[in-house]
């Protein structure tokens, strides 16, 4: 009993100091599309660009030209990406998280 009290407070301290999304549920934080984008996508898409394929940035007009018109289409790219992009399944990014990221992209990059 005593042992489990110690380990749960250790976890709590870890969670308050952690910067990763690992403890989001423990902290009861709201989903943050910007934070999720920075965690999963910004390596290749810094500021909505594309370091691997410069022809495919995340700017609205460019997305539209490639048939990516809304949040659903962006989520589709996460689940089934084109060449050079990491695949993100529901275990890595839940549908809710994916939607928050898609909405962040649509409202941020023009
Ligand atoms: C390893 C690098 C990498 C990561 C990480 C990455 N992408 Fe991509 N992304 C790419 C590449 C390369 C393409 C172009 C693929 C193609 O030719 O269709 C792309 C294309 C896209 C497109 C379609 C752009 C278009 O005009 O067709 C969207 C939307 C997109 N990425 C969103 C995301 C999101 C959201 C994330 C994070 C969840 C992410 N990407 C993470 C490399 C990456």
């Amino acid at each position: 009993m005593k042992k489990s009290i110690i380990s749960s407070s250790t976890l709590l301290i870890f969670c308050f100091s952690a910067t990763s999304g690992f403890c989001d549920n423990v902290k009861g934080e709201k989903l943050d599309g910007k934070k999720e984008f920075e965690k999963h996508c910004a390596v290749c898409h810094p500021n909505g660009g594309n370091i691997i394929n410069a022809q495919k940035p995340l700017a609205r007009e460019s997305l539209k030209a490639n048939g990516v018109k809304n949040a659903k289409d962006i989520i589709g790219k996460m689940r089934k990406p084109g060449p050079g992009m990491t695949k993100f399944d529901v275990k890595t990014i839940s549908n809710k998280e994916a939607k928050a990221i898609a909405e962040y992209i649509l409202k941020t990059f023009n």
Side-chain angles (χ1 to χ4, degrees):
M1 186 61 189
K2 198 165 184 216
K3 190 162 176 261
S4 79
I5 290 171
I6 289 167
S7 61
S8 66
S9 54
T10 309
L11 178 66
L12 204 65
I13 289 161
F14 170 72
C15 287
F16 278 121
S17 57
T19 49
S20 81
F22 181 75
C23 295
D24 284 359
N25 290 338
V26 178
K27 284 194 285 185
E29 258 180 17
K30 249 180 64 186
L31 282 173
D32 182 341
K34 180 173 193 279
K35 212 172 89 187
E36 295 292 322
F37 178 83
E38 279 161 8
K39 193 162 83 187
H40 298 288
C41 323
V43 255
C44 296
H45 297 292
N47 299 314
N50 191 327
I51 59 161
I52 294 176
N53 183 345
Q55 308 301 312
K56 302 223 170 145
L58 303 181
R60 190 176 294 234
E61 287 307 314
S62 172
L63 287 179
K64 223 190 264 170
N66 294 325
V68 183
K69 298 176 295 291
N70 52 36
K72 213 175 130 225
D73 295 336
I74 293 177
I75 296 168
K77 290 284 175 188
M78 293 187 231
R79 304 303 188 213
K80 206 167 173 285
M85 178 165 153
T86 316
K87 182 178 174 196
F88 298 93
D89 61 19
V90 280
K91 276 190 230 142
T92 316
I93 299 181
S94 71
N95 287 331
K96 267 190 188 166
E97 281 170 323
K99 191 156 179 279
I101 293 173
E103 277 162 5
Y104 169 75
I105 289 172
L106 290 172
K107 75 167 192 241
T108 309
F109 307 120
N110 296 299

